[in-house]
Amino acid sequence: MSKTRSNLRNIAIIAHVDHGKTTLVDKLLQQTGTIESQTDRVMDSNDLEKERGITILAKQTGVNFNDYFINIVDTPGHADFGGEVERTLQMVEGFLLLVDAAEGVLPGTRFVLQKALQLGLKPIVLINKIDRKDSTIEHTVDAVQDLFLDLATCESQLDFPILYGSGKLGFADFEPKESGNLKPLLKAIIDHVPAPQEKEDSLQLLITNLDHSDYLGPIGIGRIFSGTIKLGDQVIGCKDGKKTKPFKITKLYKFIGLDRVEVEEASFGDIVAVTGFTEQPSIGTTLCTVEKPLPLDYVAVDEPTVSIFISVNDSPFNGREGKLLTSRQIKERLEKELKTNVALRVEPTNSPDSFKVSGRGQLHLGVLIENMRREGFELQVSAPQVIFKTIDGAKHEPMELVVIDVPQEFQGAIIENLGQRKAELKHMHSYDDGRVRLEFEVPSRALLGFRSQFLTQTRGQGLLNMSFAGYQPYKGDIETRIKGALISMEMGDVTAYALDNLQSRGILFVAPGQKVYQGMIVGECARGKDMDINPTKGKKLTNMRASGTDDSSKLAPPRVMDLETCMEWIRPDELIEVTPKSIRLRKKVLRAAMRK
């Protein structure tokens, strides 16, 4: 008979982006006395996570409640980081699905729920943010139940408790009322999530995450499915029919609150971190005893859908702002990323200075580039391209499920815009407050450049959510950017006098005093074709006294082009120059005569 650890529970928290997962974990840690700190989003330790307010990397923690210990895994909600969700869900027996009481079921909710149900995990639902004035609790519950009916793989998955609460205010209950604390939620986890069961009589520790220490070397993080592991044990790593040489466990940690606590021994059901590896481990490796190798199956991660080319910066300004410039340094950094970023792919190209990098979406790739520039890299990045597949001899392309929430006055413009992009309207629902929700299926390549147009068309009042919806037959040609580029003809400092005369030509991306080079894109042309201009032209001196007005006071502020905006905006014949201090747009061929 298999053994059971009745005083242990393992649960993952899943939801659409910004539905309150990390805030709920904060309150669970505080109310169980695990941490004293009242800081918001303590689990978002990465700088980018704190700045953007989203979870990018899955993390684990643990809390004591009564006589039980509960391991909690906080997962990202954005579909671009789905690789993090897929690999961490294998560590748990149950999951807590959070749904915003006002926003309801969104593409990310469907995506993460489908992954969890496919693994046969036990569900608990929390309708979160019921304190919001615009919450529609009954409608949200109906939508959740419809979603479970659509996605459940067996009847038992349709039997789940529903709680109502607010992660921000720190309460949850089986009735939609604002009171109490999170104890009912913790009791529901203990009552409804199965206790871990041992499957074999020998060690099986599946590594689902990696870390690194300058003192201890590689750190493997994962779940023990069978057996016991002790400090000093000799183990081997097994994956894809291959075995490593035996090595000794030098450190063993469990996760309690925000700390890794050293322990002498850990048993099946525990989520642990181990060190002592003599060679770099990979995600999906099973640690076993030397005498009895029993590798576990590792769930395959979905394939990438978007690719870019990352190359050495060869612009006239190269080497001015970054420390890491060579192709060897870029190659080593990408190889390091592959060890932990399971949904990423890196391929060499015909040029030793360029690498093809494929990921799950524009944000997935954008976060990698942003991290690299903060580390001191200078790069050039090409326009994103979707990855086509040939299925049954026919060309197929990736599709996105897009959910748009806008005031009714803007719905016509949005439907017209997406209609030109080969989108298909699947569902439409009007709300009493004058807003309307539209659901589309859209080719992924049609959405490149759509977000900035969407914000302009809805005057910033629209909500846009999307997730990968599979491959469908190729939809035909789609025109994306209709405006040309304003390209500098000269190298030098931008002058206010020149910009004042050029404002009528389009929207400018540069300000007076900024340095530019020949072939650098300095604005968006009002017409459909590219235009070469001279933003460095100075005012000629004359004997006549000038009027005394300053040209810069007449200038409209330049459009700020951050990395993600640039990735949406550029065409295939253009590049983004990324350095630790600047993001510039340029043509691949800098000289105007050569381009023609």
Side-chain angles (χ1 to χ4, degrees):
M1 284 180 67
S2 60
K3 299 177 193 170
T4 303
R5 289 188 66 187
S6 56
N7 63 340
L8 181 66
R9 297 291 184 273
N10 295 315
I11 189 162
I13 300 184
I14 63 172
H16 181 80
V17 66
D18 205 27
H19 277 198
K21 298 176 296 302
T22 307
T23 305
L24 178 69
V25 175
D26 288 351
K27 294 298 182 186
L28 286 169
L29 290 168
Q30 290 164 15
Q31 290 190 17
T32 54
T34 311
I35 62 168
E36 299 290 326
S37 165
Q38 298 294 314
T39 311
D40 288 343
R41 302 198 329 268
V42 289
M43 296 290 282
D44 284 348
S45 51
N46 180 303
D47 285 345
L48 268 180
E49 292 179 320
K50 287 175 182 171
E51 285 171 26
R52 295 174 184 233
I54 60 171
T55 302
I56 295 171
L57 303 168
K59 301 172 198 72
Q60 42 284 318
T61 185
V63 299
N64 285 297
F65 177 67
N66 296 340
D67 297 327
Y68 293 86
F69 187 77
I70 303 171
N71 281 310
I72 300 169
V73 181
D74 182 21
T75 63
H78 202 289
D80 277 27
F81 308 113
E84 295 285 312
V85 179
E86 290 156 354
R87 65 181 172 78
T88 48
L89 284 176
Q90 295 171 84
M91 296 200 288
V92 298
E93 279 82 19
F95 66 91
L96 174 64
L97 176 70
L98 262 66
V99 184
D100 189 310
E103 293 183 8
V105 171
L106 289 170
T109 317
R110 168 179 280 271
F111 173 79
V112 291
L113 178 61
Q114 187 169 17
K115 295 293 176 191
L117 293 179
Q118 283 170 353
L119 289 168
L121 305 179
K122 191 76 177 170
I124 297 173
V125 173
L126 174 63
I127 307 299
N128 197 26
K129 305 187 186 181
I130 65 166
D131 53 311
R132 281 181 60 165
K133 290 178 181 175
D134 56 345
S135 63
T136 53
I137 297 171
E138 287 182 16
H139 180 268
T140 303
V141 171
D142 290 343
V144 169
Q145 289 172 335
D146 288 345
L147 189 62
F148 268 89
L149 280 169
D150 192 20
L151 298 178
T153 56
C154 61
E155 273 189 40
S156 62
Q157 290 179 337
L158 298 175
D159 179 23
F160 54 87
I162 298 179
L163 290 94
Y164 307 86
S166 166
K168 187 177 178 181
L169 300 179
F171 71 87
D173 208 333
F174 289 96
E175 299 294 329
K177 58 185 182 184
E178 291 188 35
S179 63
N181 52 32
L182 292 170
K183 282 185 180 176
L185 174 60
L186 291 163
K187 286 176 182 170
I189 291 170
I190 290 163
D191 293 342
H192 292 277
V193 175
Q197 286 193 332
E198 191 174 38
K199 294 179 172 59
E200 300 285 343
D201 58 356
S202 184
L203 177 66
Q204 290 179 309
L205 193 168
L206 180 66
I207 293 176
T208 57
N209 202 353
L210 295 175
D211 201 350
H212 189 85
S213 161
D214 291 340
Y215 303 102
L216 302 169
I219 301 171
I221 300 167
R223 153 89 186 263
I224 304 172
F225 283 86
S226 302
T228 301
I229 191 166
K230 296 177 185 173
L231 216 56
D233 278 356
Q234 288 276 339
V235 296
I236 55 170
C238 308
K239 185 183 178 186
D240 300 332
K242 297 175 184 173
K243 291 188 282 188
T244 65
K245 291 177 182 175
F247 61 91
K248 183 177 163 186
I249 300 295
T250 55
K251 294 278 184 186
L252 184 61
Y253 301 93
K254 284 186 183 176
F255 296 89
I256 300 177
L258 304 179
D259 302 318
R260 289 178 185 171
V261 180
E262 277 197 57
V263 293
E264 296 283 324
E265 181 181 334
S267 186
F268 70 92
D270 285 328
I271 295 175
V272 295
V274 296
T275 66
F277 298 93
T278 51
E279 53 190 84
Q280 178 67 39
S282 62
I283 288 171
T285 299
T286 309
L287 299 187
C288 310
T289 58
V290 180
E291 302 80 33
K292 197 170 182 182
L294 290 167
L296 286 159
D297 289 336
Y298 183 66
V299 172
V301 172
D302 286 349
E303 290 297 310
T305 58
V306 176
S307 66
I308 55 174
F309 289 89
I310 293 179
S311 56
V312 173
N313 183 16
D314 63 1
S315 88
F317 289 173
N318 69 329
R320 293 189 181 188
E321 297 173 353
K323 308 188 300 283
L324 304 166
L325 314 168
T326 66
S327 60
R328 179 182 60 80
Q329 289 166 326
I330 293 171
K331 183 171 183 279
E332 285 173 359
R333 177 63 180 83
L334 292 174
E335 285 172 348
K336 179 186 170 188
E337 185 71 21
L338 282 175
K339 289 171 184 171
T340 54
N341 199 334
V342 290
L344 200 74
R345 303 283 182 274
V346 177
E347 303 165 49
T349 63
N350 296 332
S351 165
D353 292 343
S354 182
F355 306 91
K356 184 181 180 183
V357 182
S358 306
R360 295 283 279 269
Q362 206 166 289
L363 183 60
H364 184 207
L365 296 170
V367 164
L368 167 64
I369 297 162
E370 184 64 39
N371 281 327
M372 288 177 73
R373 76 179 279 234
R374 290 180 183 209
E375 291 162 19
F377 281 89
E378 281 197 13
L379 314 163
Q380 281 180 172
V381 181
S382 72
Q385 298 172 319
V386 301
I387 299 169
F388 297 105
K389 278 186 179 178
T390 303
I391 303 172
D392 298 329
K395 185 178 180 181
H396 283 60
E397 66 176 324
M399 301 290 289
E400 302 279 338
L401 175 65
V402 176
V403 176
I404 289 173
D405 215 318
V406 289
Q408 285 181 352
E409 62 195 278
F410 303 124
Q411 75 181 61
I414 296 301
I415 291 172
E416 183 183 358
N417 190 336
L418 283 173
Q420 292 167 355
R421 295 167 180 263
K422 303 283 199 302
E424 206 174 304
L425 182 62
K426 291 288 184 183
H427 188 68
M428 184 171 168
H429 182 79
S430 296
Y431 292 98
D432 296 337
D433 61 356
R435 294 180 75 85
V436 62
R437 177 171 288 188
L438 308 166
E439 290 185 21
F440 296 90
E441 267 191 5
V442 195
S444 298
R445 63 195 162 98
L447 292 171
L448 299 175
F450 173 68
R451 189 180 292 272
S452 54
Q453 287 185 22
F454 172 77
L455 290 172
T456 305
Q457 285 182 325
T458 62
R459 296 177 197 159
Q461 297 178 51
L463 296 171
L464 174 67
N465 293 286
M466 57 184 83
S467 71
F468 178 59
Y471 274 80
Q472 288 186 18
Y474 183 68
K475 303 292 181 185
D477 293 338
I478 299 170
E479 188 173 34
T480 49
R481 191 177 105 203
I482 53 174
K483 300 285 179 73
L486 295 174
I487 308 151
S488 175
M489 300 161 57
E490 302 289 339
M491 187 167 184
D493 294 349
V494 174
T495 65
Y497 173 74
L499 295 189
D500 185 41
N501 292 319
L502 293 170
Q503 281 192 112
S504 59
R505 304 289 174 88
I507 299 167
L508 297 166
F509 302 160
V510 292
Q514 210 168 317
K515 293 186 182 298
V516 295
Y517 53 80
Q518 184 183 14
M520 180 172 154
I521 296 171
V522 295
E524 180 181 88
C525 186
R527 299 179 181 177
K529 291 184 178 179
D530 293 344
M531 185 182 294
D532 291 290
I533 58 172
N534 181 8
T536 65
K537 188 176 180 181
K539 198 171 189 177
K540 294 284 184 273
L541 296 175
T542 69
N543 290 331
M544 300 293 290
R545 180 174 290 179
S547 63
T549 55
D550 180 10
D551 291 317
S552 61
S553 64
K554 309 176 204 169
L555 295 174
R559 181 193 284 179
V560 177
M561 298 292 281
D562 60 21
L563 179 60
E564 279 161 42
T565 308
C566 289
M567 288 175 77
E568 286 192 345
W569 191 83
I570 65 170
R571 284 176 171 165
D573 68 328
E574 296 162 354
L575 294 169
I576 310 168
E577 180 186 351
V578 181
T579 75
K581 294 180 182 175
S582 310
I583 293 172
R584 304 182 187 95
L585 288 159
R586 54 161 286 189
K587 286 290 183 181
K588 282 184 180 176
V589 180
L590 295 177
R591 290 177 59 194
M594 299 292 285
R595 284 199 301 277
K596 287 171 184 171

